[in-house]
Amino acid sequence: MSPPPPPLRRPPSAPELVEELLGEILLRIPPEEPAHLVRAALVSKPWLRVVSDPAFRRGYRERHRKPPLLGFVHNLYDEGPIPRFVSTVASPCSSPALGCRTWWALDSRHGRVLIHRFGPSDLVVWDPTTGDQQHLPLPPYSHAYYTGAVLCAKAGCDHLDCSGGPFLVVFVGTEDEEGNTWASMYSSETGGWSAMAIADLSASTAVDLHSYIETKPSVLIGDALYFTLELGKAVLKYDLAEQSLTTVDAPETDGEMETGVFMAAEDGGLGFASIEGDDLHLWSWTGDGNTVGWKRCRVIQLQSLLPDRNPSLSHGVIGFAEGLDIIFLETPEAGVFTIDLKSEKSRKVGETGGYYAVLPYMSFCGPGQRVN
């Protein structure tokens, strides 16, 4: 006697099948403009249900891997120091201002912004997409000049969604009288600062023992953070594992050092970008093997990428978006532009305003989320 036939399986209902196919289609929308997903969510309730599903958001992040550039933060002096968020996308994921006074933004990374607050003086780690603020005390070491960095502390994190997870803050200060430059690291998991690491600036030929730290954003390369020293003459390397400080002199360029920025090079190591004449010069540092020093690896002509410039006005590199290979340039006549180092395409993202530095903000943003 033959065995009974297997039970018939009911095919998925049409709405379930449509939503599954719709999800596969929407996953392919590029993340560079969050407004596209927002518009998709407004088509109908089923579309909103798909886009708002946490499983869809996880799949969307995993598919595209690199969080897109949503905007940048820079500091204003109107009525006291004010950090201001400038959107680079046409979506409701951004807000024109943070609504605070006497605050100074120091760094932005892994979906967070590090801010120094005056009166009372402390540090704030701010998540723009959730509005969450975590306050922590300054390290118990004297300083007249300072900067800082924030980064995710979750082991093995892919940094696609670091919201709510553990974080580290590295604070670097220069004492006024002795001129010593030091660094200390804060862990959100332990709630305390590490012992002070002192920089040996005598190893650098470009700076003296009394050089101060610049209040410019850091760059994360591998397991090290890099901070700019006085007028961009050198970079201070903080090893996150060893909690030690060393210095590397900047390359010898024909441009003004303070108009350049340290960045991640195309080979994954330490790099430097500066404007010399009408060109953007990219440098790469080699510190291993038989070759030690800087190498000019690329020159990008700016004449065709930017509006006609006035040679009597100073132009400069004011920021670098980690992981996206995007440079921010300030042009006093026309505003702020981004240069995509892969495509060599430019885009205007800000008006004129005397920028000292900008902090690029990268994160995935969809319906129901916004930068507060």
Side-chain angles (χ1 to χ4, degrees), residues 258-324:
E258 60 266 32
T259 63
V261 298
F262 292 96
M263 53 176 279
E266 293 178 330
D267 60 4
L270 177 64
F272 186 79
S274 63
I275 292 180
E276 301 180 37
D278 291 325
D279 301 326
L280 175 66
H281 290 243
L282 303 178
W283 300 75
S284 178
W285 168 262
T286 301
D288 298 321
N290 298 324
T291 304
V292 177
W294 288 99
K295 177 183 178 181
R296 195 192 316 263
C297 54
R298 192 173 170 192
V299 176
I300 299 177
Q301 296 181 345
L302 299 176
Q303 294 93 328
S304 61
L305 300 180
L306 301 175
D308 292 337
R309 53 176 294 182
N310 185 341
S312 65
L313 297 178
S314 176
H315 293 58
V317 187
I318 57 174
F320 172 73
E322 292 178 0
L324 298 181

Side-chain angles (χ1 to χ4, degrees), residues 39-337:
R39 295 191 186 100
L42 296 176
V43 170
S44 65
K45 289 184 178 180
W47 286 49
L48 175 61
R49 186 163 53 246
V50 170
V51 175
S52 301
D53 189 335
F56 172 83
R57 291 183 175 180
R58 286 194 299 271
Y60 190 78
R61 291 191 294 264
E62 291 171 357
R63 179 180 181 85
H64 296 284
R65 304 303 298 172
K66 292 183 179 181
L69 176 70
L70 297 183
F72 61 89
V73 179
H74 75 106
N75 297 292
L76 300 173
Y77 282 103
D78 299 339
E79 301 178 6
I82 304 171
R84 174 173 176 256
F85 183 87
V86 177
S87 173
T88 58
V89 296
S91 76
C93 290
S94 56
S95 175
L98 304 182
C100 52
R101 294 291 185 271
T102 64
W103 291 25
W104 189 268
L106 298 175
D107 197 41
S108 176
R109 184 177 293 104
H110 298 156
R112 301 175 176 90
V113 178
L114 178 65
I115 298 174
H116 181 212
R117 187 175 67 152
F118 306 94
S121 184
D122 63 4
L123 297 172
V124 181
V125 176
W126 174 59
D127 186 331
T129 58
T130 65
D132 179 64
Q133 296 182 11
Q134 298 191 48
H135 294 250
L136 49 142
L138 289 168
Y141 312 117
S142 62
H143 59 274
Y145 307 92
Y146 62 89
T147 192
V150 62
L151 64 155
C152 173
K154 183 179 178 180
C157 185
D158 55 15
H159 307 308
L160 300 181
D161 184 17
C162 302
S163 179
F167 61 85
L168 299 173
V169 170
V170 175
F171 192 88
V172 183
T174 301
E175 298 174 346
D176 191 14
E177 295 181 358
E178 299 297 330
N180 291 326
T181 297
W182 53 267
S184 180
M185 184 165 66
Y186 176 91
S187 167
S188 65
E189 296 179 293
T190 64
W193 289 95
S194 68
M196 181 171 55
I198 302 293
D200 181 13
L201 300 184
S202 62
S204 173
T205 58
V207 298
D208 58 35
L209 295 177
H210 301 287
S211 291
Y212 56 85
I213 195 73
E214 291 271 9
T215 310
K216 286 190 173 183
S218 64
V219 57
L220 176 64
I221 303 174
D223 293 327
L225 284 162
Y226 294 83
F227 301 90
T228 304
L229 283 169
E230 182 179 358
L231 300 178
K233 297 177 182 177
V235 65
L236 188 69
K237 176 183 178 182
Y238 181 78
D239 188 297
L240 292 165
E242 299 180 0
Q243 297 184 23
S244 60
L245 288 171
T246 54
T247 59
V248 176
D249 291 342
E252 295 183 3
T253 72
D254 295 331
E256 298 179 358
M257 300 308 299
E258 60 266 32
T259 63
V261 298
F262 292 96
M263 53 176 279
E266 293 178 330
D267 60 4
L270 177 64
F272 186 79
S274 63
I275 292 180
E276 301 180 37
D278 291 325
D279 301 326
L280 175 66
H281 290 243
L282 303 178
W283 300 75
S284 178
W285 168 262
T286 301
D288 298 321
N290 298 324
T291 304
V292 177
W294 288 99
K295 177 183 178 181
R296 195 192 316 263
C297 54
R298 192 173 170 192
V299 176
I300 299 177
Q301 296 181 345
L302 299 176
Q303 294 93 328
S304 61
L305 300 180
L306 301 175
D308 292 337
R309 53 176 294 182
N310 185 341
S312 65
L313 297 178
S314 176
H315 293 58
V317 187
I318 57 174
F320 172 73
E322 292 178 0
L324 298 181
D325 294 330
I326 292 177
I327 289 284
F328 286 76
L329 298 179
E330 179 192 14
T331 64
E333 311 98 318
V336 177
F337 288 77

